């Protein structure tokens, strides 16, 4: 075994496999918190200056998208906490999370403009 291979083997053995899922779980929690703040601000913006029909619809849509993202995030957080080697995120869940995030941002932008 060459010195380079020995160094890589020591790095692999020294790495704690529980750290990456923990960091990922915390990232999901931070993203959920950011989505919560965005949804609350969207509802506040929709109600500011009197409630209009379009503002109420956009605010309700923002809240529905937030609930969808919250469900996906909670499911992933539980999967990350369950084992030290969690399964990868399913492509359909990743797509749904991305779509909820983009749609929530679009609803928030529509409320502001």
């Amino acid at each position: 075994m060459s010195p380079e291979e020995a160094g890589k083997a020591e790095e692999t053995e020294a790495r704690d496999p529980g750290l990456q899922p923990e960091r990922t779980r915390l990232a999901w929690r931070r993203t959920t918190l950011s989505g919560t703040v965005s949804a609350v601000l969207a509802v506040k913006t929709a109600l500011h200056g009197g409630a209009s029909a379009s503002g109420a619809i956009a605010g309700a849509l923002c809240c529905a998208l937030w609930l969808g993202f919250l469900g996906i995030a909670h499911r992933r957080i539980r999967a990350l906490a369950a084992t030290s080697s969690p399964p990868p995120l399913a492509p359909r869940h990743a797509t749904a999370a991305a779509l909820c995030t983009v749609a929530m941002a679009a609803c928030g932008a529509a409320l502001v403009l």
Side-chain angles (χ1 to χ4, degrees):
M1 181 183 282
S2 71
E4 289 176 14
E5 290 174 347
K8 287 181 184 178
E10 287 176 13
E11 268 183 37
T12 304
E13 291 173 9
R15 183 181 174 274
D16 183 3
L19 292 178
Q20 183 61 43
E22 177 70 14
R23 285 192 300 265
T24 305
R25 186 178 63 79
L26 291 171
W28 276 100
R29 287 194 186 275
R30 284 190 305 270
T31 305
T32 302
L33 179 62
S34 298
T36 303
V37 170
S38 297
V40 167
L41 289 175
V43 170
K44 181 183 176 206
T45 302
L47 298 176
H48 182 70
S52 66
S54 61
I57 290 171
L61 186 58
C62 246
C63 288
L65 290 165
W66 171 73
L67 286 173
F69 183 82
L70 186 65
I72 294 166
H74 183 67
R75 181 181 182 138
R76 187 61 184 161
I77 288 168
R78 282 190 320 195
L80 290 167
T83 64
S84 63
S85 179
L89 182 62
R92 67 184 176 129
H93 291 139
T95 302
L99 288 176
C100 282
T101 303
V102 170
M104 194 171 12
C107 285
L111 283 170
V112 172
L113 300 176

